[in-house]
Amino acid sequence: MRIAVANRLTPYLFMAPAVVIMAIALMYPLGYMIWGSFRDWSPSQTIGEAEFVGLKNYVTLWGDPNFWESLSVTLTFAFFVVTLEMLIGVGLALLLDRNIRGMSVLRTLFILPMMIAPVVVGLMWRYMYHPTVGTFNRMLDSLGLPTVDWLGNHALMSVIIADIWQWTPFIFILALAALQSLPRSALEAARIDGATAWQQIWHIKLPLMMPVLIVTGLLRLIDAFKVLEVILVMTEGGPGLSTEILALRISRTATEFRELGVAAAMSNYLLILLLALTLAMFAFTRLQEARAARIRAAVEEES
Amino acid sequence: MPTIQLDNLIKRYGEVEVLHGIELEMADNEFTVLVGPSGCGKSTTLRMVAGLEDVTEGEIYVDGKPVSHLEPKDRDLAMVFQDYALYPHMNVAQNISFALRLARRPKAEVHAKVKEVADMVGLTDFLHRKPGALSGGQRQRVAMARALAKDSGIFLFDEPLSNLDAKLRGQLRAELALMSQRVEKNMIYVTHDQIEAMTLADRIVVMHGGYIQQQGSPEALFKRPVNKFVAGFLGMPPMNFLNGEIKEEAGDVFVKGNGFSLRLQDEKAQAAKAHRVREVVLGVRPSDLVFDAEAPSDQALTLDVMVSEYVGAQSVLLCQCGADQVTVEMNSETPMALGQTLRFRITPNRVHLFDRESEDAIQSK
């Protein structure tokens, strides 16, 4: 009897450390943030001293054009980044899915950008974008072309380019893995059926890769909403509000404007957005699993 | 329908040569089966005909025209794969019509064709299912329907029945035989299963180690194998082999070995005499041994029965002859007990002789 109880409790015992860490490092700050978002709270006060204001912070944000500007920058950034990264990453994977000498070296080179610390990426690109001594403008100049004011007039485009450089490899390796797990014989059958290289991609490869691509895209989308370091280092959100993504605005609201409650409320808006995306992803995989299970059941019933 | 000719086909992977000059001619409407153990080069040969493998040397001619530089889609062929190779995201109708849709045939024609071939293989009720919702046998039927829908002159099969269970395999084999009579196509069929080869083929090509060992009708290969490999590969249970020596005594020719002394007759005796090789291997099929206690000792084997495997109407006896094992196929009704020593008559002229060193058959030309 005692042993049976002990046996039943063992798994919980093993899980306990993780639960404790989660509680301290995740649930506590999260609860703190939600609690704080209902208060008019400055950094000089403890949370107990701050005045409870209900939903005021949320309402204020709803009417704040700067918040909306920031949200739209985030959405624009995320949309372009994910779309272009998907196109380039999948395209590269389709091109490089073959046995060429030195392919493994090439693949490793391709995924290097992903391994560099974001702050370093930001510094590197800031240097390359520098209006006079930057790599790009010097190159344009030496070719006799007009220079571009990268981090000035075209700041959002420039940070998008930098992000694409850094994160396309992520999509590339996942797409390549998906490609290489496709059934070889189905592709051979398609060749015999008369499909050209393009038709094989369009009718066979892409549809079969789709489940992986959808999950990959959602993962990137969630990440793109949370991007901070690279942009912080490159532009600090400027010029004006042109590259001030939500994460950056949150940190500025907390530190520069000293409005912790508003910053917390903004964080919660972002959290809700990300939660919706995550749920969409879970729903998608669930749907897939359910469909597979249904088909299996149907087949078993017949045989 | 086109004739296919393989002219000195060689395949190398780097330094390794896996096919050593395959010469083969397939006539109109012929069902050719390439058969051999795994690694013999039969699948590689087929995939070269299909255009899925490059030809290292030699040439493939279809209707006299070289095709080895052409893409698979330009070779007028259809293929059925071992793992079905269906498009998992398309339903049965879309799978079947894929080639036609790529060729941009009119909708009505595509529709009619799908219906026709689905009828032929009994898939009419499943046209809207995805392959994942079909059983193994149904999937292979879809693969066949897809190949049929293409209306090409050459039909290639790469071990199409190997992934199915025994009962389904037998059923689909019969359907295939029926189909091959109905559609006028040149078919090349690869298998490692000698029963499929025997039952389906107009012509069997036995391959081993990258060489063609022998080709001909199933009957010719079964009755007159040119070497020990072909003799042992075709036929179930496989042929018995016993080492022996040719001896001439008083004008008669004998094969003598451990526990037997067999007098050769007519043609066999002459062939053995002419061949001048002493060391031979005697080959006897299990079905050519008949229980007969009265048989003359120079026309029979005397065997100790070790094990009897009951398989229904027939039983397979595992026997001992000297140090060698011999299997005998016999009617299950014949009364006999394990441990008995029995005499089995060899059906006259059904013995095979092989040169022990070269393993070639010793037979009159």
Side-chain angles (χ1 to χ4, degrees), chain A residues 185-186 188-196 199 203-204 207-208 295 299 302, chain B residues 47 51 72-73 77 79 81 83 85 87-89 99 102 129 132-133 146 150:
Chain A
S185 59
E188 286 174 349
R191 280 175 71 192
I192 288 176
D193 270 349
T196 59
Q199 286 169 328
H203 293 294
I204 312 288
L208 290 182
I295 288 172
V299 172
E302 267 167 40
Chain B
R47 291 171 59 83
K73 63 189 172 76
L77 47 84
M79 183 158 169
F81 293 81
D83 59 358
Y87 312 124
H89 56 296
L102 286 178
R129 293 250 193 120
R146 181 175 67 183
K150 259 197 92 187

Side-chain angles (χ1 to χ4, degrees), chain B residues 94-289:
Chain B
Q94 289 167 329
N95 261 288
I96 294 175
S97 63
F98 188 58
L100 300 174
R101 286 184 289 131
L102 286 178
R104 297 190 187 287
R105 302 279 186 81
K107 270 217 173 93
E109 186 194 325
V110 172
H111 195 75
K113 192 79 204 175
V114 168
K115 199 176 168 312
E116 182 196 327
V117 294
D119 267 350
M120 209 186 283
V121 297
L123 278 172
T124 315
D125 295 338
F126 303 98
L127 285 177
H128 298 290
R129 293 250 193 120
K130 294 262 176 77
L134 296 174
S135 69
Q138 288 167 334
R139 287 183 209 186
Q140 198 52 288
R141 288 208 177 90
V142 178
M144 279 180 208
R146 181 175 67 183
L148 280 170
K150 259 197 92 187
D151 255 340
S152 36
I154 306 171
F155 224 102
L156 307 178
F157 297 89
D158 190 3
E159 308 224 12
L161 306 183
S162 301
N163 281 13
L164 304 173
D165 62 53
K167 197 173 162 197
L168 255 176
R169 203 179 307 157
Q171 191 185 336
L172 274 178
R173 197 171 64 214
E175 284 178 28
L176 256 175
L178 200 67
M179 189 186 87
S180 74
Q181 288 166 15
R182 271 194 298 182
V183 296
E184 304 222 314
K185 287 176 193 298
N186 222 327
M187 309 213 187
I188 310 180
Y189 187 106
V190 161
T191 179
H192 63 269
D193 180 354
Q194 53 96 17
I195 296 179
E196 276 171 36
M198 297 293 274
T199 50
L200 288 171
D202 293 323
R203 180 217 300 263
I204 294 185
V205 179
V206 180
M207 294 181 70
H208 182 48
Y211 293 97
I212 291 182
Q213 301 290 322
Q214 189 177 6
Q215 49 173 308
S217 70
E219 197 190 355
L221 263 65
F222 188 75
K223 287 195 171 152
R224 288 175 71 85
V226 295
N227 58 31
K228 197 178 152 198
F229 177 80
V230 176
F233 192 79
L234 298 178
M236 198 69 213
M239 188 184 276
N240 297 302
F241 294 114
L242 297 166
N243 285 341
E245 271 174 39
I246 300 282
K247 293 225 166 88
E248 280 187 59
E249 283 169 17
D252 282 333
V253 184
F254 286 85
V255 191
K256 293 195 174 185
N258 191 355
F260 66 93
S261 172
L262 215 62
R263 185 166 53 81
L264 296 175
Q265 297 178 349
D266 316 332
E267 178 225 24
K268 291 286 173 201
Q270 280 162 22
K273 237 195 264 181
H275 198 69
R276 290 165 203 270
V277 166
R278 303 290 109 191
E279 310 242 290
V280 296
V281 175
L282 174 75
V284 186
R285 293 201 184 276
S287 52
D288 291 334
L289 287 165

